[in-house]
Amino acid sequence: NASVKISGFLPLQGHVVRNWKVRWFVLLQDKLLYYKIEGGKKEPSPKGRILLDGCTITCPCLEYENRPLLIKLKTKTNTDYFLECCSREERDSWALDITGAIHAGHPVQVQELHRMKNSFKLLENISLHNIVERMYDSSTGIKLTRNLDQGNRYKETFTGSALVDWLISNSFAVSRFEAVTLASMLMDENFIRPVGVRSTEATRSSDPSEKFLDDSTALYMFAESSNKNTSSKEEVHFNISELSGTIVKQGFLVKQGHKRKNWKVRKFVLRADPAFLHYYDPTKEDNKPVGGFSLRGCLVSALEDNGVPAGVKGNVQGNLFKIITKNDIHYYIQASSKAERVQWIEAIKPLT
């Protein structure tokens, strides 16, 4: 039997009912299996399989505006699957491994892929958050103007070439090519978005270097300012400063609910300075946290894997850890491996 190349939680869009569900994916030599999680446990037999022979992969895939980190797989029989990752790194590593499996019979393409992976190590040390913060700065940031495009008026936009000029003049990039790459990353990560016909058309290009236009007729805006989502009453409100910290770690973990004690996969985002842990429902479109807490004064510890610890309900896989907040609220969380549990605990500890 072929060995497992990579496995993990990914939200998947159903190809029959178009809703999002989180599944546990396992990549084998020639297929991708996915499992349903019942309670806190992976079901023994797969819920479905995606055969990779003759499959085409699109990554980055920008078909859904609110989901910038998608991988699209189109099978030989023309079924589309959309898988969502939780960070750029995770998306790229899944995409690379899946592409490797698709092309396993064609060694030349695999070499080409590794070359691609190694050449794109641009500006590792630059924080996109930092750039966006500087862009927002009222005196030194990027100038927002009103623009007309195909008869539509847009307030608070900037042109592609203005952003490239700004990135170079603020020493975030040394060449226009580098600035365009950086601007595409800002777009990929949903910090900025195209508005109007020209810039939106360009995002459909299959060549990553042509997705963002260094052009004075291509318009962009901050993704934030375009969210006119009116919030419902019962929504948890998060203070902007809570969500302004640097992201230290993010990933999918299984969390036990407070009231119904049921287990659900959530996307956790750990931020420092201020130190908060927020969690999101990966099946929802709006990208707002459904919960979160300050890490100051928290206690975090691994729970033994023999027997079910007090406070934990349901059939769980193991690799549990627990966070007790300053106000004595207990969170029970399950990682998908021992190593992952250790990584999370080690990332959280220094922030408490």
Side-chain angles (χ1 to χ4, degrees):
N1 199 355
S3 59
V4 175
K5 299 199 180 315
I6 183 174
S7 60
F9 286 115
L10 297 172
L12 163 73
Q13 188 188 49
H15 52 277
V16 186
V17 186
R18 291 266 173 218
N19 57 349
W20 293 85
K21 298 184 184 66
V22 181
R23 296 286 180 249
W24 176 261
F25 278 84
V26 176
L27 175 63
L28 301 175
Q29 196 109 38
D30 55 348
K31 58 180 159 298
L32 197 52
L33 302 179
Y34 53 95
Y35 295 80
K36 203 171 154 181
I37 299 291
E38 239 354 289
K41 224 176 168 134
K42 171 183 115 183
E43 290 193 332
S45 55
K47 177 95 182 119
R49 54 174 56 79
I50 302 172
L51 298 175
L52 297 176
D53 179 42
C55 206
T56 51
I57 179 169
T58 310
C59 173
C61 162
L62 303 173
E63 286 189 31
Y64 291 88
E65 200 176 90
N66 313 11
R67 295 179 179 269
L69 297 173
L70 288 181
I71 295 173
K72 175 181 178 181
L73 294 175
K74 193 188 232 356
T75 64
K76 206 147 94 176
T77 57
N78 281 339
T79 308
D80 290 347
Y81 291 90
F82 292 93
L83 315 179
E84 185 176 34
C85 300
C86 155
S87 65
R88 219 195 147 83
E89 295 73 32
E90 188 196 42
R91 178 194 66 191
D92 295 348
S93 95
W94 272 100
L96 204 84
D97 286 341
I98 292 171
T99 311
I102 293 172
H103 294 316
H106 318 279
V108 178
Q109 277 164 308
V110 178
Q111 276 167 3
E112 190 50 41
L113 271 166
H114 284 292
R115 227 191 346 272
M116 255 165 52
K117 185 183 193 178
N118 297 331
S119 66
F120 202 76
K121 280 278 178 282
L122 177 89
L123 311 174
E124 285 290 313
N125 53 347
I126 283 187
S127 141
L128 295 180
H129 285 271
N130 179 13
I131 295 178
V132 174
E133 240 162 71
R134 291 270 298 277
M135 284 172 73
Y136 271 110
D137 187 292
S138 51
S139 54
T140 58
I142 190 152
K143 296 283 168 278
L144 299 176
T145 52
R146 292 169 175 274
N147 280 293
L148 211 62
D149 181 272
Q150 308 266 329
N152 292 323
R153 260 171 215 294
Y154 294 103
K155 284 194 307 202
E156 307 215 312
T157 52
F158 44 88
T159 66
S161 51
L163 177 54
V164 168
D165 294 343
W166 184 88
L167 288 167
I168 293 171
S169 66
N170 283 276
S171 326
F172 285 117
V174 293
S175 63
R176 295 194 86 77
F177 173 75
E178 214 172 83
V180 166
T181 310
L182 208 47
S184 336
M185 287 162 100
L186 289 168
M187 198 161 61
D188 264 3
E189 295 286 343
N190 229 16
F191 287 115
I192 63 171
R193 69 183 195 93
V195 276
V197 181
R198 279 220 58 196
S199 56
T200 313
E201 276 297 294
T203 59
R204 304 208 169 88
S205 158
S206 58
D207 181 347
S209 64
E210 290 165 13
K211 287 189 191 306
F212 177 88
L213 299 176
D214 175 4
D215 186 309
S216 59
T217 61
L219 300 183
Y220 297 88
M221 71 195 292
F222 287 118
E224 284 305 300
S225 54
S226 65
N227 291 347
K228 297 191 188 59
N229 297 347
T230 45
S231 58
S232 60
K233 283 287 170 281
E234 83 263 280
E235 198 174 279
V236 195
H237 280 284
F238 291 94
N239 179 331
I240 271 302
S241 72
E242 277 188 33
L243 298 170
S244 68
T246 318
I247 295 181
V248 177
K249 186 169 175 55
Q250 46 187 341
F252 296 110
L253 296 165
V254 193
K255 175 187 155 301
Q256 179 171 273
H258 285 300
K259 298 191 187 74
R260 298 185 36 215
K261 304 284 184 210
N262 51 352
W263 290 89
K264 290 213 159 74
V265 178
R266 293 288 178 249
K267 173 181 170 174
F268 278 80
V269 178
L270 176 63
R271 293 181 174 89
D273 195 23
F276 274 85
L277 185 60
H278 289 98
Y279 48 95
Y280 299 74
D281 180 343
T283 64
K284 294 277 182 291
E285 281 293 335
D286 63 6
N287 210 8
K288 293 197 182 72
V290 289
F293 49 90
S294 162
L295 290 172
R296 194 157 295 156
C298 281
L299 295 170
V300 56
S301 59
L303 297 174
E304 283 310 313
D305 285 344
N306 42 14
V308 177
V312 172
K313 296 264 183 299
N315 56 353
V316 288
Q317 207 102 317
N319 306 312
L320 287 161
F321 62 101
K322 166 170 151 178
I323 302 174
I324 305 175
T325 67
K326 205 167 63 182
N327 318 335
D328 202 40
I329 297 169
H330 293 226
Y331 287 88
Y332 294 98
I333 300 168
Q334 204 183 157
S336 47
S337 68
K338 277 205 168 37
E340 191 188 36
R341 171 171 70 181
V342 170
Q343 286 163 10
W344 273 99
I345 293 175
E346 284 178 359
I348 293 168
K349 271 215 169 109
L351 302 176
T352 60

